[in-house]
Amino acid sequence: MGLHHCIQLCTGNGSAAAAQPRDDGMMSSKLYLAICGGRLNEEAMALLDADHVAGKYKVSAERNNFLHLAAERGHAKLIRELYTRFGHSSLLSSQNSALDTPLHCAVRAGHGNAVTVLVELARDSGDDSVLGCKNEAGETALHLAAKLGHAAAVEAMVSKAPNLASEVNYAGVSPLYLAVMSKSVPAVRAITTSCSDASAAGPSSQNALHAAVFQGKEMIGLLLNWNPSLASEADDSGSTPLHFASSDGDSSIVGAILRAVPPCTVRIRDSGGLSALHIAAGMGHDGVAKALMKWCPDAAELRDDRGGTFLHAAARGGHLEVVSLATKKSMLGHSHLSRGLLNSQDRDGNTPLHLAVAARAPRVAEKLLCTGKVRADVMNNDGDTPLDLSARSTSFFSMLGLMVTLAAFKGQTRPQRQDHAEKWNGYGITKGMEKTSDNLAVVAVLIATVAFTATNNVPGAYEQADDDTHGKMFFKGMAVLQRKDLFKCFLVLDSFALVTSVIAVVLLVFGKASRSAGSWKTFAAALHCLWASLISIIVAFYAALSAVTTTRAVSIIAYAIIIYGFAVLYYTVYSLIAPPVSVWTVWKVIWRKGRNSIFTGRIRQQQYPIASAYAFNLLVFKTIANLGFIGAIAISFLSEYAKTQARHSGAPAPSSLLT
């Protein structure tokens, strides 16, 4: 009874209805696969016929109808066939879950033939609104085609509906701006040629020319020919396309914009008061700055919100090439304008020289001072001169380079009682010396070891003699090359390397133990000794090599290796310790040090007394290096002379004496 009742419940009307598949409007798998494959069989056509009779077409999981699916896969022939048989304009404008129409799908997939067919079908239907349908981002199919750079799709749509180019998406961006961003010149050309009323709007009130600045000269030309007024439009920050081009530094693009705009465009300043010249100077684009000043000479007078000129911007960035423009009368016109610009102060009272010193740019400071028009004694609003700022540099070598430069051109500190001046305790440099002293001492010991070993293993070995009593060979205690000048040079140089390296070790150990403010003097002396011993051991090796070889090719190769290797070593070390200023400036400091004891005395009394001796120590370093070069060249000439004498006298070659 219970079983029979259960069977009746299972076979009742309600259960039967539940067992039947519910028609929820979803497309069958067979129809979906058939459309995606581009070939509809009889069963698929029957399903579409049934939907057509019912007046409602089935959709996929993302609410794509059969036109969406065919458009995504580029089945242009199938689209035309299906629309002809089942079509209605509502199918063309139907939207999926992302609000994309079939035209959006075809454009996104880049199927030009499918796009062309859909545009033609929309035109034939007489419903232009199909082309203007927007998806969830507010983009028409033209927006999408421009964004992806599909030039053929863009051209197909603007030729049928040019008004689409005036539409913007929900972000306020036009198709033209998107076409520029896609770097598609044909797409930009299609819009600018077919749409005179196209919008050029972009994000943050930019226009298409702002974006084209970074895309190339051809893009710039298309937009300027279409609408030259774009060059004068500013974005939310007040920046024009010329500001953008000046920051990028491409002179050809800046020139193209300048030729399309009046000179007053150069004077436009952004929300921070910066002109295009300020930006070019701050970025170090000297070619752009030169073009801007040539097009609009009075732009050099413009000041930003901080009261700075383009020269302040260049000095703050440490850009030597741009600063050099300000020193040329041909660029700035009258000399009084140049003088006023070079010494102009911003709202903080800083001159370009103050900013160059603060930027730790000795070469820029030197360039400004070499004009003879820049005053090095001007104080800013805090009462600091450029020399005061140089003493506060966080970089030791930059500080020294700046102080050397300013000392060469009579820089002055702020007036104050010397007993109130902050004295330099040497802690910063002493701490750095303590870290390097141990390593340098190890190097010095290694050089001393090599020099000592070389004296016990002399080149050419020792003389040999026969022992008549026992019939054996023995060595005398005399060097084979003892009478050769090259061997004597080797002994002298090797001895010098040994002594100077030992002195360097002693000075480094003593200097580290003293921990006084004046310990930098012993450290500097140790460095000179270490440098001299290193050069001596190199030249000594070359002398020994020249003494034991007669092969000309070997001598030439050895000479080249020694000279070029030593040159690389010298310039590498020099680039690390020397200020980036001219040799003339360094010599000028040394000359002033001897001539003006009052000035150098004041420098020594300030925070960094080591600066007064920096130029002298640099000169000692270069002198030792030059002596090394001269020594190597002298060894080479002496070697050639010895070989010539040996050939004329018929003496045995040095190599024949080797065992």
Side-chain angles (χ1 to χ4, degrees):
M1 180 67 179
L3 180 61
H4 179 70
H5 179 67
C6 181
I7 293 174
Q8 284 184 337
L9 289 176
C10 292
T11 58
N13 293 335
S15 297
Q20 294 295 327
R22 186 176 57 184
D23 185 5
D24 55 359
M26 299 302 293
M27 185 181 298
S28 67
S29 299
K30 293 182 179 181
L31 179 58
Y32 180 88
L33 295 174
I35 295 175
C36 291
R39 300 180 65 182
L40 296 183
N41 52 28
E42 294 182 359
E43 183 178 1
M45 293 299 293
L47 291 172
L48 286 175
D49 286 332
D51 292 342
H52 183 66
V53 172
K56 186 177 182 181
Y57 295 98
K58 301 293 193 302
V59 295
S60 68
E62 289 297 321
R63 301 194 60 78
N64 291 306
N65 62 29
F66 59 86
L67 283 186
H68 286 95
L69 298 177
E72 279 184 346
R73 286 148 182 86
H75 301 317
K77 184 176 180 181
L78 181 61
I79 292 172
R80 187 181 296 278
E81 179 182 349
L82 292 175
Y83 187 80
T84 302
R85 182 167 180 175
F86 307 106
H88 188 271
S89 61
S90 61
L91 279 173
L92 296 174
S93 59
S94 61
Q95 297 173 305
N96 59 15
S97 58
L99 303 185
D100 285 337
T101 64
L103 185 56
H104 283 92
C105 295
V107 168
R108 181 175 283 107
H111 299 304
N113 293 334
V115 171
T116 302
V117 170
L118 289 168
V119 170
E120 291 177 356
L121 293 176
R123 180 197 60 185
D124 295 340
S125 68
D127 188 1
D128 294 337
S129 63
V130 172
L131 300 179
C133 290
K134 295 184 176 182
N135 59 15
E136 60 183 1
E139 295 177 336
T140 64
L142 181 59
H143 281 94
L144 202 56
K147 180 193 296 185
L148 300 175
H150 298 325
V154 170
E155 187 173 359
M157 281 182 278
V158 296
S159 63
K160 303 298 188 238
N163 60 306
L164 291 176
S166 61
E167 296 285 339
V168 296
N169 60 18
Y170 293 155
V173 181
S174 64
L176 181 57
Y177 189 95
L178 294 173
V180 171
M181 290 299 296
S182 71
K183 303 180 182 180
S184 176
V185 173
V188 174
R189 183 181 290 111
I191 295 176
T192 55
T193 303
S194 304
C195 312
S196 57
D197 296 330
S199 172
S204 303
S205 299
Q206 294 179 7
N207 61 44
L209 192 59
H210 285 90
V213 162
F214 306 103
Q215 307 301 339
K217 190 175 179 180
E218 185 176 6
M219 199 87 75
I220 290 287
L222 288 174
L223 293 173
L224 288 176
N225 290 334
W226 173 68
N227 186 2
S229 65
L230 293 176
S232 301
E233 296 179 2
D235 62 7
D236 288 343
S237 66
S239 302
T240 64
L242 188 59
H243 285 87
F244 279 46
S246 297
S247 69
D248 191 46
D250 192 328
S251 299
S252 62
I253 291 180
V254 171
I257 296 177
L258 289 176
R259 288 189 292 271
V261 298
C264 62
T265 306
V266 181
R267 304 188 189 101
I268 298 176
R269 291 180 287 185
D270 63 11
S271 57
L274 298 175
S275 66
L277 181 56
H278 282 94
I279 295 174
M283 296 294 293
H285 302 316
D286 57 305
V288 173
K290 183 176 181 180
L292 292 171
M293 284 192 287
K294 184 176 181 180
W295 189 257
C296 183
D298 62 343
E301 302 178 13
L302 294 174
R303 293 179 178 265
D304 58 22
D305 288 351
R306 294 186 292 181
T309 64
F310 85 96
L311 186 56
H312 286 86
R316 184 182 294 109
H319 301 302
L320 178 64
E321 294 78 8
V322 181
V323 172
S324 299
L325 295 176
T327 64
K328 298 179 181 178
K329 292 182 179 180
S330 59
M331 292 305 302
L332 297 177
H334 302 291
S335 60
H336 70 275
L337 175 60
S338 175
R339 184 183 298 275
L341 186 67
L342 293 173
N343 291 294
S344 61
Q345 294 177 270
D346 59 16
R347 291 185 179 177
D348 295 324
N350 292 314
T351 65
L353 183 59
H354 280 91
L355 297 179
V357 171
R360 295 180 295 180
R363 294 185 63 193
V364 175
E366 181 187 33
K367 187 66 178 180
L368 290 169
L369 291 167
C370 283
T371 61
K373 301 175 183 178
V374 175
R375 297 186 58 181
D377 58 351
V378 178
M379 293 188 296
N380 61 16
N381 293 351
D382 295 328
D384 293 325
T385 66
L387 189 57
D388 294 322
L389 295 180
S390 68
R392 300 172 189 173
S393 176
T394 57
S395 173
F396 178 71
F397 285 109
S398 294
M399 177 272 295
L400 291 178
L402 290 168
M403 295 200 77
V404 166
T405 302
L406 293 168
F409 292 92
K410 303 180 181 180
Q412 298 182 22
T413 60
R414 65 194 304 176
Q416 60 180 326
R417 285 174 48 177
Q418 296 304 308
D419 59 329
H420 289 176
E422 182 182 355
K423 301 300 181 181
W424 179 66
N425 57 15
Y427 175 75
I429 186 174
T430 303
K431 188 176 181 180
M433 290 189 301
E434 290 179 357
K435 294 181 178 179
T436 57
S437 293
D438 293 338
N439 295 331
L440 293 177
V442 171
V443 174
V445 169
L446 289 176
I447 295 176
T449 303
V450 171
F452 180 78
T453 305
T455 57
N456 293 286
N457 296 275
V458 296
Y462 295 94
E463 293 180 346
Q464 300 176 356
D466 294 331
D467 187 347
D468 296 333
T469 305
H470 301 90
K472 296 182 180 180
M473 188 75 67
F474 67 94
F475 292 95
K476 289 184 178 180
M478 303 295 291
V480 172
L481 303 175
Q482 61 175 325
R483 295 182 179 86
K484 288 186 172 291
D485 293 335
L486 288 173
F487 178 71
K488 295 175 182 178
C489 291
F490 161 76
L491 291 178
V492 172
L493 291 170
D494 188 74
S495 300
F496 184 78
L498 176 63
V499 172
T500 52
S501 59
V502 171
I503 294 175
V505 173
V506 174
L507 290 175
L508 289 170
V509 174
F510 172 77
K512 184 177 180 180
S514 65
R515 291 178 175 268
S516 64
S519 60
W520 63 268
K521 297 179 182 179
T522 57
F523 184 78
L527 289 178
H528 289 314
C529 290
L530 186 61
W531 178 239
S533 64
L534 185 63
I535 291 177
S536 297
I537 204 69
I538 293 175
V539 180
F541 169 79
Y542 179 53
L545 186 65
S546 300
V548 299
T549 182
T550 57
T551 306
R552 184 172 181 81
V554 174
S555 299
I556 294 175
I557 295 174
Y559 177 75
I561 293 175
I562 293 294
I563 290 297
Y564 288 110
F566 181 67
V568 171
L569 174 64
Y570 166 71
Y571 286 110
T572 300
V573 177
Y574 186 78
S575 64
L576 295 175
I577 65 173
V581 294
S582 63
V583 178
W584 177 79
T585 299
V586 177
W587 275 105
K588 191 173 182 179
V589 173
I590 298 174
W591 175 257
R592 290 201 67 210
K593 183 179 179 181
R595 301 260 313 185
N596 192 346
S597 59
I598 296 177
F599 172 77
T600 54
R602 289 176 180 173
I603 293 295
R604 284 195 298 269
Q605 292 174 8
Q606 296 300 317
Q607 294 95 326
Y608 295 92
I610 188 176
S612 63
Y614 178 52
F616 174 75
N617 282 281
L618 190 64
L619 179 62
V620 172
F621 169 81
K622 295 184 68 174
T623 301
I624 295 173
N626 289 331
L627 289 175
F629 276 115
I630 294 172
I633 295 173
I635 294 296
S636 176
F637 279 110
L638 186 60
S639 175
E640 290 296 323
Y641 176 77
K643 292 172 184 176
T644 302
Q645 290 294 104
R647 284 196 297 269
H648 290 167
S649 62
S655 58
S656 64
L657 300 175
L658 299 178
T659 57

